[in-house]
Amino acid sequence: MSDPHVAAIPVADCGEPFINVRGTLLVDDRRADTAGSYAHLRRGVLDRLVHAQSLLPDGVRLLYIEGYRPPDLQRRYFEEYADDLRAANPAWPDDQVHRAAGRYVSPPAILGRGGAGTTPDTGSGVIVWWAGFSEDRGVPNRSDRGTTHMHLFKKPARWATAAACGLLAFAALPASPASAAGAKGGAPTVPARYAQQRLDWQPCQSGALECASMTVPRDWYHPGTGADLTVAVSRHRAADPAARRGVLMMAAGGPGASGLGRPAGLAAYSPKVAAAYDVVGFDQRGVGASTQVVCSDQDAVDALFTSGDLRDRSRRAVDATVDRARNFVQDCERRSGDLLPYITTDQAVHDMDLFRALLGESKVSYYGPSYATFLGAYYATEFPHRVDRVVLDSNIGFTGSWQKFLTGQPMSFQRRFEQDFLPWLAANDATYHRGRTTEEAKASYERLRRALGEHPLDLEGTTVTPNHLDAAATSIIYSGDRFPDLAMLLGVLEHPEAAPPAARKALAEKLKHPLGAQFAADFFSVICQDTPWNHDSAFWVRRSAADGAAYPMAGARELTFASVCAAWPHSQAPRVQVTGRGLPPIMMLNSLHDPATYYEGALRAHQGTAGSRLITVGGGDHGVYQSHNPCVDAYVEGFLVDGRMPAEDASCEGKPLPDPTASR
């Protein structure tokens, strides 16, 4: 196209900042995009789009062409896909790799003439926006192959979106901004002031790592809007530079936990991994040393989770729970309103990819536990050609919604408590004296809980209520190694006078804040915005009553968590559909009785993620790698270091539960 008024701009460079299509744009009238509709346009964008057409130069219109890729883009996609095929099928000869890659990357002819990669003759005054085939993680939609269509946008919302994209494309003709992400990753174009910054590595305060900070846009889809954010990053350099194979990125759970110091822990745990990788971490936007999101103060957060008895289903108690949740949301809006919409997993994965680019790496490997599985799955989905070897440990149901996942937790916490902890406690009655059967042990827990309800315990200045007991119990049973801690806690709360003052004081500090204010701010910002929630409070009152009766250990707090998200402003975050298609195989790990990331959710995520392998681990520990399970360690390190992925799903025995008499 020689006319100066004509430009060809890839949809991956300008479409996805406006529409939640995750790399797929089918805007003709025959079919919906992957989000199912245009209902997921970002907050405030629609109003801007309807005015964008008037800003285009006179006589310039936008043309949508399906099934077209320019030769240079086609070649790059072909080479990237061929590389993936070689990695997944090392025994294939080159000709087989090329045939397979060509089947998915060669676009059809344009309008029946010119052949693949031919620039269409459109005339002057036209900005061509090509979408090509359905680009779902780099693998074309099979139904689109061999078809050719050219459409003008006819529906107003679609034309407005196209006009805005065309405007940006037209404005960008003199020079192309630097990009920190691959065109196929679905990332917005990265302005040079972010992409060209340098990480100033300095020793971290702990001394074990190098630390730096990077500047990121508040909103990746509108980088010039609002004040920038800071993301703190860390690095542990590979111990053996000669054996270094790349970068292993880590992330923390929560959402809301700090990941900045985690590379040091992994490097100390696995010298083999530390020799092969620069292990890097970060505090996610909203957390820790990065720009923080702020909601209620600590006293208000304590009240949210400890006031009254969360098992109390009286009208007065239920109304108080809902009111406290609404007040928390109001605090979030008042103190962080202009930041809240951008504390999401989708925004965070774009931060991650900028970090990758600033490290000078074309791809990174990844390890993440708990919420970091959700983060890692989203990153791999949005940046499929930027990931190498991925390990997801203790999996949130990332193929579904936060609502679906969190409403499954009351069952899994109750199961862990009743089927693992109580039998262990009864088996060790000679040590802890809580009952010789599971039923007796459970009854002793309930007696203590009732006593705390009738007479809350003043423990070294901390008032301990039934909610404190439930919160402590649900936290401790994450790890079987900590079962003795819960058993001793029950004894101290029943007979505090028998415990040494130092032990009482230490326990009081641990019980004082069931959830930190900073953690809560980020946690709810993410879970309430990533995926849709039911905003009907009456629904949650009914649902929590049923779950609380069936699964009281964690079901009692369901109304608190759900009421926060029910009161949260409706989110405009894009829906990210994790499928695994076009990705290298992902290794997933999960224990059978994990209380937090329950096995059923992990199994759904595994079944919905093509090419994944699930290592099922006995027991119920949350976070099974780095927990001294030799079988799990062998699978993870064999994959990360040597590339050995099981041909099919596999299993490991869980660690034995502790014997309190062994140290006597």
Side-chain angles (χ1 to χ4, degrees):
M1 289 183 280
S2 58
D3 193 291
H5 293 290
V6 179
I9 306 298
V11 67
D13 288 346
C14 60
E16 290 193 2
F18 301 98
I19 307 175
N20 173 33
V21 294
R22 299 280 66 80
T24 303
L25 187 63
L26 298 171
V27 293
D28 63 4
D29 294 337
R30 300 172 299 119
R31 196 160 32 218
D33 59 82
T34 53
S37 72
Y38 281 79
H40 299 281
L41 284 170
R42 299 181 185 283
R43 183 191 304 248
V45 171
L46 187 57
D47 290 339
R48 300 175 193 175
L49 297 183
V50 296
H51 297 294
Q53 172 61 40
S54 64
L55 301 178
L56 285 170
D58 291 341
V60 175
R61 61 188 176 89
L62 189 89
L63 186 66
Y64 166 78
I65 299 180
E66 181 181 1
Y68 172 72
R69 292 290 186 208
D72 57 341
L73 196 62
Q74 176 188 344
R75 170 54 56 184
R76 187 168 81 241
Y77 286 7
F78 175 89
E79 291 172 350
E80 289 176 350
Y81 192 64
D83 288 344
D84 291 343
L85 288 171
R86 288 190 188 95
N89 305 277
W92 281 14
D94 283 348
D95 60 342
Q96 185 175 1
V97 170
H98 293 164
R99 286 197 303 272
R103 282 198 298 271
Y104 294 126
V105 180
S106 297
I110 299 299
L111 301 180
R113 66 176 186 267
T118 301
T119 300
D121 181 11
T122 58
S124 62
V126 176
I127 294 179
V128 177
W129 183 8
W130 65 74
F133 38 64
S134 173
E135 191 185 316
D136 196 337
R137 267 71 60 192
V139 180
N141 186 320
R142 277 54 169 181
S143 66
D144 291 337
R145 292 211 306 268
T147 64
T148 310
H149 303 279
M150 183 168 70
H151 308 276
L152 290 177
F153 289 89
K154 296 178 181 178
K155 293 189 176 180
R158 292 178 177 178
W159 173 251
T161 304
C165 180
L167 174 62
L168 294 183
F170 194 89
L173 280 177
S176 297
S179 175
K184 298 190 73 177
T189 298
V190 182
R193 64 193 180 99
Y194 304 110
Q196 295 177 7
Q197 64 185 300
R198 298 178 64 85
L199 297 175
D200 181 19
W201 294 106
Q202 302 291 334
C204 299
Q205 290 183 351
S206 66
L209 301 171
E210 296 176 298
C211 283
S213 61
M214 65 180 187
T215 300
V216 302
R218 174 172 300 242
D219 179 3
W220 272 99
Y221 300 92
H222 301 93
T225 302
D228 288 338
L229 309 182
T230 297
V231 172
V233 298
S234 62
R235 176 173 65 181
H236 182 282
R237 287 186 178 273
D240 184 359
R244 179 186 182 276
R245 71 170 311 274
V247 166
L248 176 67
M249 187 176 289
M250 299 182 66
S258 171
L260 201 62
R262 297 197 174 216
L266 179 57
Y269 183 84
S270 177
K272 189 176 182 181
V273 171
Y277 289 96
D278 287 349
V279 184
V280 302
F282 56 95
D283 275 353
Q284 192 168 322
R285 58 169 56 204
V287 174
S290 296
T291 301
Q292 294 186 0
V293 61
V294 179
C295 290
S296 297
D297 60 25
Q298 189 61 59
D299 288 345
V301 173
D302 289 344
L304 188 64
F305 293 100
T306 65
S307 294
D309 183 347
L310 293 178
R311 292 193 194 178
D312 184 353
R313 300 301 303 184
S314 67
R315 177 64 180 268
R316 180 178 180 179
V318 167
D319 287 348
T321 296
V322 174
D323 287 344
R324 285 191 295 268
R326 289 172 176 168
N327 290 338
F328 175 84
V329 176
Q330 290 172 3
D331 285 345
C332 296
E333 292 185 283
R334 185 178 68 254
R335 302 178 73 178
S336 297
D338 62 339
L339 178 59
L340 286 184
Y342 313 114
I343 305 299
T344 66
T345 299
D346 171 68
Q347 293 282 349
V349 300
H350 290 91
D351 298 342
M352 291 166 62
D353 198 62
L354 177 62
F355 186 22
R356 171 205 59 75
L358 296 179
L359 290 168
E361 299 290 328
S362 60
K363 293 186 178 185
V364 292
S365 293
Y366 180 85
Y367 167 75
S370 195
Y371 162 68
T373 64
F374 197 99
L375 187 68
Y378 270 38
Y379 179 68
T381 298
E382 298 199 55
F383 297 91
H385 290 277
R386 298 307 188 187
V387 294
D388 186 10
R389 298 171 183 174
V390 176
V391 178
L392 306 179
D393 181 355
S394 302
N395 296 266
I396 286 174
F398 47 72
T399 54
S401 69
W402 277 108
Q403 176 175 311
K404 182 176 180 62
F405 172 73
L406 289 170
T407 52
Q409 282 191 329
M411 175 279 298
S412 57
F413 275 102
Q414 197 73 29
R415 176 174 61 193
R416 175 67 159 162
F417 181 68
E418 294 187 351
Q419 297 184 23
D420 292 351
F421 174 71
L422 290 178
W424 174 88
L425 186 62
N428 291 285
D429 181 60
T431 300
Y432 301 112
H433 313 294
R434 308 302 301 177
R436 291 178 292 178
T437 67
T438 298
E439 291 75 17
E440 290 176 352
K442 183 177 181 180
S444 72
Y445 181 92
E446 293 299 325
R447 281 196 305 272
L448 174 60
R449 194 184 188 284
R450 283 195 300 274
L452 292 172
E454 294 167 0
H455 303 286
L457 175 65
D458 183 350
L459 187 68
E460 302 295 325
T462 296
T463 301
V464 182
T465 69
N467 298 327
H468 286 90
L469 176 61
D470 287 345
T474 54
S475 175
I476 292 173
I477 61 177
Y478 273 50
S479 169
D481 288 344
R482 296 193 62 201
F483 280 7
D485 295 343
L486 180 54
M488 288 187 286
L489 180 147
L490 298 176
V492 171
L493 293 183
E494 191 160 53
H495 301 289
E497 72 284 352
R504 293 198 304 267
K505 187 173 183 60
L507 181 58
E509 286 300 314
K510 290 181 179 179
L511 293 174
K512 190 173 185 179
H513 305 305
L515 201 67
Q518 176 56 52
F519 184 98
D522 187 78
F523 179 85
F524 285 110
S525 296
V526 172
I527 71 164
C528 296
Q529 296 189 115
D530 276 352
T531 57
W533 280 80
N534 187 328
H535 288 259
D536 180 5
S537 292
F539 168 84
W540 289 113
V541 171
R542 295 190 301 271
R543 172 67 188 257
S544 62
D547 287 346
Y551 314 113
M553 173 64 65
R557 71 187 188 192
E558 184 177 64
L559 182 61
T560 299
F561 281 79
S563 293
V564 171
C565 288
W568 205 272
H570 285 268
S571 172
Q572 300 299 316
R575 290 299 307 273
V576 178
Q577 186 61 51
V578 178
T579 67
R581 292 194 296 271
L583 291 175
I586 292 174
M587 178 177 286
M588 299 174 63
L589 318 166
N590 225 91
S591 69
L592 288 167
H593 282 185
D594 187 324
T597 52
Y598 47 90
Y599 187 74
E600 294 82 352
L603 191 60
R604 286 195 299 269
H606 166 50
Q607 292 169 343
T609 306
S612 62
R613 304 286 189 275
L614 177 61
I615 312 298
T616 298
V617 183
D621 284 351
H622 179 68
V624 293
Y625 179 53
Q626 301 185 83
S627 65
H628 302 284
N629 184 317
C631 176
V632 173
D633 292 353
Y635 275 118
V636 172
E637 292 167 7
F639 175 51
L640 288 177
V641 178
D642 302 319
R644 296 194 305 269
M645 172 68 83
E648 55 189 19
D649 293 347
S651 63
C652 289
E653 292 185 4
K655 294 193 309 179
L657 293 174
D659 178 0
T661 67
S663 59
R664 292 180 180 177

